[in-house]
């Protein structure tokens, strides 16, 4: 945070009735407040800390959906749209993502180039709850998909394409093994971790595209309302169930693929899967969802 | 006789030179502005530069990219009229997206949900 | 000499005319009913898509994110106020989710006018 640039040289003249030390005090506070206002983009203080953000989001959805426990939002719109929920539960009886999980298991157990396998990196595979996290040494957010490719390169193998079918299958198998783990992203405290978190938070709240929507426009302001016949879900449940089987895709796909689609729907050019933008957004959203259980893969429209 | 002939001759010569000069300047001014290929190229280049700026700001728009792609495609195919129209459209859209980027630099902060009342007071203290 | 002079003048006149005549002519639409045109723009998902958020007339599966569009002439006695609202609703309310149809060139001026006239007929 820089104190240098801001104009704090208020005149001390023409201020009868206030003692100089009190005035100085007042000015100091006024300056700090002004600086926080001006340099909001650099100052973590001006954002509110992550704990306050998480409380604010939970409080908002509690108020919006008073009859629904916050944890229920893990099911997205099916938490509050009863008709849609029944159809969804019927689909989940014979889940179309089962094949993807089986194929993921096969890939998971296939030897990598140097003879090692994914289990050398991920043990029994039930690790989804450990991601994303902020790696202080690399100074970036590590997602499960990034870790999968890191594992491959550690064992002399080629990275998988982030928009391809294979990585979604490996991730689907890992997600399946990790069901019911409770999301518990460590609170970002270092300046670098806070910067990544705040970047995600800014992305979430910034209006983009020709249609001028932020993530929060639909999922905070309009959460629970309908666009045409579709209800808008609460963001608390946005990260719980990936990779998801989307009926529109007829396949399992990643959270970042969904981010890209959201961006395109408001006519904003999407970012690449696993770009810093989307990883930071995932980091922010997952921190906000702390306390919710993982339930992927799941079916979504 | 001789002198009047000379006078008429020099007057005509002068007039011709003036007109020639005017035409020449009109033509040289004209070619970059009214030669369709040069006009289109100029417009496409400008649209491209602006669009790249919007990409760098992370505020690129899909319709701007669509218009830019149409413009470059038309330019390469020799359809200068379409290239010009689409390039101008891309520029117009990109300017709107850059304006959005500017507004959002601060506007987003106001939009984020405020913490419950009990925690609001501790927030603004340094 | 005189002939050469005339030729040059003619060329000059032709050039200046061609410079002046570059404005394209405004095209007029042959479709008769502007209200129908406005309705089509308002309902089309890839154009106005007003039904995404607003209940309108007989539009199928409207959203409920925005208020129903009823009695618009009563709510907007001044046409320009409604037009400004469709152009950029964030001027009146910075928090509105409504896309700025004019400012962001989602609709062109003509489409915007057709939509506004249609809305005022509701």
């Amino acid at each position: 945070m820089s104190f240098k640039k801001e104009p704090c040289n208020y005149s001390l003249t023409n201020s009868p009735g206030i003692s100089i030390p009190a005035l100085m005090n007042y000015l100091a506070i006024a300056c700090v407040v002004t600086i926080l206002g001006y340099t909001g983009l650099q100052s973590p203080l001006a954002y509110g800390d992550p704990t306050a953000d998480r409380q604010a989001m939970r409080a908002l959805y509690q108020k919006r959906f008073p009859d629904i426990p916050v944890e229920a939002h893990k099911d997205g719109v099916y938490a509050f749209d009863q008709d849609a929920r029944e159809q969804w539960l019927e689909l989940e009886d014979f889940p179309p993502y089962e094949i993807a999980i089986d194929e993921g298991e096969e890939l998971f157990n296939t030897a990598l180039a140097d003879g090692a396998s994914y289990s050398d990196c991920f043990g029994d595979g039930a690790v989804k709850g450990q991601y994303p996290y902020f790696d202080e040494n690399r100074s970036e957010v590590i997602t499960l998909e990034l870790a999968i490719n890191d594992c491959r390169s550690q064992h002399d193998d080629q990275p998988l394409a982030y928009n391809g079918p294979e990585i979604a299958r490996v991730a689907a198998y890992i997600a399946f093994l990790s069901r019911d783990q409770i999301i518990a992203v460590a609170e970002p405290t270092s300046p670098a971790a806070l910067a990544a978190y705040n970047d995600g938070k800014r992305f979430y709240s910034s209006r983009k595209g020709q249609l001028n929507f932020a993530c929060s426009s639909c999922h905070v302001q309009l959460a629970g309302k309908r666009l045409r016949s579709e209800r808008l879900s609460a963001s608390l449940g946005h990260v719980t169930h990936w990779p998801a089987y989307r009926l529109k895709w007829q396949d399992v796909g990643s959270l970042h693929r969904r981010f890209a689609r959201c961006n395109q729907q408001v006519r904003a050019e999407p970012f690449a899967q696993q770009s810093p933008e989307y990883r930071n957004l995932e980091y922010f959203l997952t921190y906000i969802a702390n306390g919710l259980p993982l339930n992927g893969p799941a079916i979504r429209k | 006789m001789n002198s009047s002939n000379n006078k008429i001759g020099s007057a005509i010569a002068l007039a011709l030179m003036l007109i020639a000069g005017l035409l020449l300047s009109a033509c040289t001014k004209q070619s970059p502005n009214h030669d369709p290929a040069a006009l289109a190229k100029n417009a496409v280049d400008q649209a491209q530069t602006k669009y790249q700026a919007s990409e760098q700001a992370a505020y690129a728009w899909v319709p701007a990219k669509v218009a830019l792609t149409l413009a470059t495609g038309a330019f390469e195919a020799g359809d200068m009229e379409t290239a010009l129209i689409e390039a101008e459209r891309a520029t117009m859209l990109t300017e709107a997206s850059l304006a959005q980027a500017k507004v959002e630099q601060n506007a987003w902060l106001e939009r984020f949900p405020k913490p419950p009342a009990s925690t609001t007071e501790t927030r603004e203290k340094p | 000499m005189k002939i050469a002079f005339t030729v040059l003048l003619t060329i000059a006149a032709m050039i200046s005319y061609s410079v002046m005549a570059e404005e394209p002519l405004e095209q007029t639409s042959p479709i008769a009913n502007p209200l129908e045109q406005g309705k089509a723009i308002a309902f089309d998902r890839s154009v106005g898509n007003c039904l995404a958020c607003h209940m309108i007339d007989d539009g199928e599966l409207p959203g409920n994110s925005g208020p129903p569009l009823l009695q618009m002439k009563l709510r907007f006695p001044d046409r320009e106020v409604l037009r400004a609202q469709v152009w950029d609703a964030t001027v009146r309310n910075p928090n509105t989710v409504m896309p700025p149809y004019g400012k962001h060139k989602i609709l062109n001026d003509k489409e915007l006018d057709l939509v506004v006239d249609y809305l005022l007929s509701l």
Side-chain angles (χ1 to χ4, degrees):
Chain A
M1 186 164 69
S2 159
F3 283 79
K4 281 180 242 164
K5 290 176 196 162
E6 301 310 322
C8 294
N9 50 341
Y10 300 118
S11 167
L12 292 178
T13 56
N14 302 331
S15 49
I18 307 174
S19 74
I20 293 297
L23 189 69
M24 294 296 278
N25 233 343
Y26 166 75
L27 283 176
I29 292 167
C31 279
V32 168
V33 169
T34 316
I35 287 163
L36 289 180
Y38 276 112
T39 58
L41 292 177
Q42 288 107 49
S43 161
L45 280 171
Y47 287 81
D49 60 280
T51 310
D53 290 346
R54 189 172 154 269
Q55 284 172 347
M57 292 289 271
R58 287 174 72 98
L60 180 127
Y61 292 122
Q62 242 152 12
K63 202 175 164 192
R64 185 77 52 87
F65 306 99
D67 303 332
I68 299 167
V70 164
E71 281 68 29
H73 288 297
K74 69 181 194 305
D75 292 337
V77 289
Y78 310 121
F80 49 78
D81 190 329
Q82 274 310 317
D83 287 348
R85 183 178 180 85
E86 273 160 38
Q87 290 173 25
W88 174 69
L89 287 174
E90 270 174 37
L91 283 173
E92 288 275 353
D93 279 342
F94 299 98
Y97 49 73
E98 263 183 346
I99 301 166
I101 294 174
D102 291 345
E103 287 169 353
E105 181 177 10
E106 213 174 301
L107 288 166
F108 190 87
N109 294 318
T110 304
L112 299 171
D114 68 351
S117 80
Y118 285 109
S119 57
D120 288 288
C121 306
F122 301 119
D124 64 1
V127 294
K128 172 95 171 137
Q130 297 168 23
Y131 299 93
Y133 69 92
F134 189 81
D135 185 322
E136 293 291 343
N137 293 324
R138 291 168 62 170
S139 200
E140 63 178 333
V141 171
I142 310 295
T143 59
L144 176 60
E145 284 82 356
L146 207 73
I148 289 171
N149 268 346
D150 281 351
C151 178
R152 293 179 67 84
S153 47
Q154 274 161 31
H155 295 290
D156 306 329
D157 222 321
Q158 296 293 316
L160 298 172
Y162 286 123
N163 56 2
E166 275 187 50
I167 201 160
R169 277 158 177 69
V170 177
Y173 176 59
I174 292 175
F176 178 69
L177 295 175
S178 314
R179 276 188 176 179
D180 298 327
Q181 288 177 359
I182 303 296
I183 298 172
V185 177
E187 166 143 8
T189 47
S190 73
L194 271 172
Y197 169 88
N198 284 329
D199 189 58
K201 178 179 167 183
R202 187 179 66 209
F203 192 109
Y204 181 79
S205 315
S206 299
R207 290 179 180 233
K208 303 237 175 200
Q210 190 186 32
L211 299 188
N212 207 37
F213 283 90
C215 309
S216 62
S217 306
C218 286
H219 299 289
V220 169
Q221 278 185 266
L222 300 180
K225 299 259 190 185
R226 275 185 285 111
L227 284 187
R228 297 269 178 171
S229 55
E230 301 301 325
R231 301 286 293 272
L232 290 162
S233 58
S235 283
L236 288 180
H238 280 175
V239 296
T240 52
H241 52 280
W242 300 92
Y245 185 98
R246 284 196 81 203
L247 300 176
K248 272 184 194 133
W249 296 339
Q250 293 286 304
D251 197 4
V252 288
S254 69
L255 173 63
H256 291 202
R257 186 174 168 190
R258 188 70 189 91
F259 285 164
R261 189 65 204 126
C262 271
N263 279 160
Q264 283 170 321
Q265 278 174 309
V266 303
R267 301 182 191 168
E269 269 300 313
F271 297 85
Q273 295 198 40
Q274 301 304 320
S275 59
E277 285 86 356
Y278 283 170
R279 276 187 284 141
N280 291 342
L281 179 60
E282 178 177 346
Y283 182 48
F284 161 74
L285 280 172
T286 316
Y287 176 78
I288 291 297
N290 269 357
L292 268 71
L294 291 175
N295 61 348
I299 302 166
R300 289 292 186 273
K301 272 190 187 162
Chain B
M1 190 67 181
N2 245 354
S3 72
S4 77
N5 256 352
N6 270 350
K7 268 184 189 169
I8 292 166
S10 58
I12 289 171
L14 197 71
L16 276 177
M17 275 160 72
L18 268 173
I19 289 162
L22 274 173
L23 277 177
L24 200 69
S25 75
C27 285
T28 46
K29 262 189 193 163
Q30 212 186 322
S31 55
N33 286 337
H34 294 280
D35 166 34
L39 260 178
K41 181 165 179 8
N42 196 20
V44 170
D45 286 350
Q46 196 197 356
Q48 216 139 27
T49 311
K50 281 233 161 103
Y51 182 76
Q52 278 161 5
S54 79
E55 266 187 330
Q56 267 168 10
Y59 274 86
W61 285 4
V62 172
K65 192 177 186 176
V66 169
L68 183 58
T69 310
L70 287 173
T72 44
F75 183 79
E76 277 157 23
D79 180 356
M80 297 308 161
E81 198 185 332
T82 307
L84 184 64
I85 291 168
E86 292 301 334
E88 281 174 354
R89 185 170 163 72
T91 298
M92 188 176 76
L93 287 164
T94 309
E95 277 168 358
S97 81
L98 288 169
Q100 179 189 46
K102 209 173 168 186
V103 169
E104 286 304 308
Q105 216 167 21
N106 294 314
W108 72 269
L109 203 54
E110 288 304 309
R111 221 171 276 138
F112 195 81
K114 303 285 173 285
S118 55
T119 54
T120 326
E121 278 177 26
T122 53
R123 248 181 100 239
E124 290 197 337
K125 283 182 188 164
Chain C
M1 269 310 171
K2 263 187 183 173
I3 292 165
F5 192 74
T6 319
V7 168
L8 277 171
L9 276 179
T10 315
I11 292 168
M14 277 163 71
I15 289 168
S16 64
Y17 177 76
S18 75
V19 170
M20 278 169 6
E22 69 183 349
E23 286 297 311
L25 292 169
E26 190 71 32
Q27 281 195 339
T28 46
S29 172
I31 298 172
N33 189 342
L35 289 185
E36 284 300 316
Q37 284 181 289
K39 183 176 179 176
I41 295 163
F43 281 25
D44 189 319
R45 278 170 199 266
S46 62
V47 194
N49 201 15
C50 310
L51 284 172
C53 294
H54 300 280
M55 197 275 282
I56 312 169
D57 194 22
D58 60 349
E60 280 176 22
L61 295 175
N64 64 357
S65 297
L69 302 182
L70 299 163
Q71 298 187 303
M72 297 299 277
K73 241 185 188 136
L74 276 176
R75 285 164 62 194
F76 293 92
D78 183 349
R79 183 184 184 279
E80 283 313 300
V81 174
L82 177 60
R83 195 181 191 280
Q85 187 71 359
V86 182
W87 173 270
D88 179 10
T90 66
V91 172
R92 285 217 316 197
N93 171 14
N95 291 323
T96 182
V97 171
M98 176 149 158
Y101 281 92
K103 188 176 143 202
H104 278 191
K105 329 281 179 200
I106 302 163
L107 300 180
N108 63 33
D109 282 350
K110 196 180 167 192
E111 291 168 328
L112 203 87
D113 280 324
L114 286 167
V115 168
V116 169
D117 287 338
Y118 168 64
L119 293 179
L120 286 171
S121 78
L122 295 170

